[in-house]
Amino acid sequence: MMMQLRSMRQKLVAVVMLTTLAALLVSIGGVIAYDLRVYHRALLGDMATQAELLGHMTSAALAFDDAALAGENLASLRIRPAVRAGAVYKADGTRFASYLASGEGPAFPAAPTGEGVRVEGDQLLVFRRIVEKGDFIGTVYLRAEYGLLARAIDYLAIAAAVTALAMLTAYLLMRRLDRIITAPIFAITTIAREVVRTRDYSRRAPRISDDEAGELVDSFNAMLTEIEQRTRALERSNREIAREARQRAEAQQEVMRLNEGLEERVRLRTLQLELSNAELGVAMEAASKASQAKTSFVSSMSHELRTPLNAILGFAQILTSDAMPTTPPQKKDFANHILKSGRHLLTLINEILDLAKVESGTVALSMEPVALADMFTECEGMIAQMASQRRIRVLFPEGCPEVVLADRTRLKQVLLNLLSNAVKYNRELGMVRVEAGAAAAGRVRISVQDTGMGLSPEQVGSLFQPFNRLGQESGKEEGTGIGLVVTKRLLELMGGSIGAASSSSTGSTFWIELQATDPLPSALAAGTLLPFEAQAAAQASHVLLYVEDNPANLKLVQEIIGFRSDLRLLMAPDAHLGLEMARVHLPDLILMDINLPGMSGTEALGQLRADPRTAHIPVIALTANAMPRDVERGLANGFFRYLTKPIDIGQFGEAIDSTLALVDGCARAREA
């Protein structure tokens, strides 16, 4: 009997172990096969995508024959450790640029061997043609590690360990749980033996579990009472059958519920895969558009820079050529053309630098309350001459009480850009109206309305695209097509917004909105701003010392000061001589270049401040170091004002007059 019991238990353990092993092998094998298949496809797709992106990024370099740019693009493969080598070939099959990972030997194909992806041993080779506007311009080659075999070996090792652990766990569990399954059967066997021996049908087998073994106990007990209570046994049997039916129905419903849950999980996983594919497609499209936008921007910038340079170099060659003699009126006219083109080129460079700073997030803003009344007064004085030359009336609001939170310098740049556009593209004898008022949510709206030709809806939709002049490229008005882009970016950095409304032949209205803040007293009412004309009227005698090593710059300042009878100019070609002249002549004002031979202007300023005889003399920096951080550093070092080259004569005169006015005020205070 004990042999039979051990045999039954062994069979039960064997069945469970074999079932567990089969389930593990099928599930683990399926998972490994699926993962390796997905890995293979993902690797091929990833490398193909990488080659496609490199092709788009390198098309501009191939077009301009810029091997350095192509090398920089290939150097981005450093972030992909699996990629061991990469190269770009020209259309004729010659290698244009290449990249090798650390420790990799310089082995490249002599020429592309056709487009596609193939596996050679433990390496994956990718060839992708570069096609730009339908023309074949080159081929991208990538060589990456193909770790499918190593991955499969790792999975097999993991599978073997998991299978062994699972089988051991199943065996230990079955050793403890087999008695739970066999105990009811042993109980029925014992009671049946006793009933057969004693014929005592009142004995009942104990019900140990609620599973099929329990049902067997109930059936056995029902058989024992069948003679005495046939009817009750029949009813009990019917109730048992009904109960089993309900259990089967509940089991069927549970199976259906599990199937529905499985279908839902499959559906969600499918949606996730579709979303991932869509995001990948969007990313590829964005990368393609970015590459196209970069190419378009470089092309447009090249065209815009070359246009004024053409006039500058062309007229300069005529003026310096002995083969093309020119009359004095022609020389003056050519010089005016050179000056006009140079100013346009300077404006273009400044706006490109502004755009680059804004896009890179390096613009430093000083947010403060700005009274619009003061701002409108400053802008009115700066735009008046341009408007007068074109016979355009510019109307500003009177008594404007609004105050906005903004960077004062950048807000003035925004308003002057809108005003200059309104004047440039207006009709003769037209009008520009500036209005300001409260808007929703505690904001202030400033609008600039002109009476020009207006814009079509398509042009309004393209207003803020770089180098897009909306059909004015061939017009008589010069422009860069960047101003509005920089304006929009600056307003966004200041927490503001910009918009436009226009229709053909009725003019345009550009508006900006900024956050309102508490009112401030007007700087003009307080008398803190002194007009340039009032300053120039002072006829006191003053001495200026200009320290500059460039003879052309010395000559230019000498000519500008020559028109001022109230000023006397001293010049020094280096900082050492400038210090000696400052101690001897004690000028009222010093103009100092920063980049001087032997001693910089900043070092010279330190020595002037250390000498009690010259410590009180204001020093204005006049330099070509025009970056914002240079200006901030110069003012922090102690320069009274900071002017940048090329010289703006109006700003130059205002700086001199305001500084000398302060010097005279201090002198009068000491005398009193």
Side-chain angles (χ1 to χ4, degrees), residues 209-244:
S209 63
D210 293 330
D211 52 9
E212 290 81 356
E215 296 176 5
L216 180 60
V217 169
D218 292 340
S219 300
F220 179 75
N221 290 333
M223 291 173 57
L224 294 177
T225 59
E226 183 178 1
I227 298 174
E228 298 176 357
Q229 299 176 345
R230 182 179 294 272
T231 303
R232 259 184 286 172
L234 181 59
E235 292 176 354
R236 218 172 18 251
S237 177
N238 290 336
R239 286 197 299 270
E240 187 68 20
I241 292 173
R243 186 176 66 83
E244 292 177 358

Side-chain angles (χ1 to χ4, degrees), residues 168-195:
L168 177 60
T169 303
Y171 177 77
L172 294 176
L173 288 175
M174 282 305 303
R175 287 291 301 270
R176 288 184 172 271
L177 297 178
D178 62 351
R179 292 184 176 83
I180 298 176
I181 299 174
T182 57
I185 300 175
F186 295 159
I188 293 174
T189 304
T190 302
I191 296 299
R193 187 183 306 111
E194 292 179 359
V195 168

Side-chain angles (χ1 to χ4, degrees), residues 354-363 485 489:
D354 274 346
L355 179 60
K357 288 186 291 184
V358 170
E359 294 292 353
S360 63
T362 58
V363 175
V485 180
R489 300 289 194 273

Side-chain angles (χ1 to χ4, degrees), residues 600-661:
S600 69
T602 303
E603 295 171 338
L605 174 64
Q607 294 197 20
L608 288 171
R609 292 289 173 263
D611 192 335
R613 294 173 295 173
T614 58
H616 68 284
I617 302 175
V619 181
I620 296 179
L622 184 59
T623 175
N625 297 343
M627 300 301 291
R629 61 177 179 273
D630 298 326
V631 179
E632 295 173 359
R633 189 183 303 116
L635 295 176
N637 287 332
F639 285 104
F640 186 77
R641 293 282 296 272
Y642 196 99
L643 304 179
T644 60
K645 303 172 184 176
I647 296 176
D648 184 312
I649 297 179
Q651 184 184 19
F652 179 75
E654 183 274 332
I656 291 177
D657 288 336
S658 62
T659 305
L660 292 178

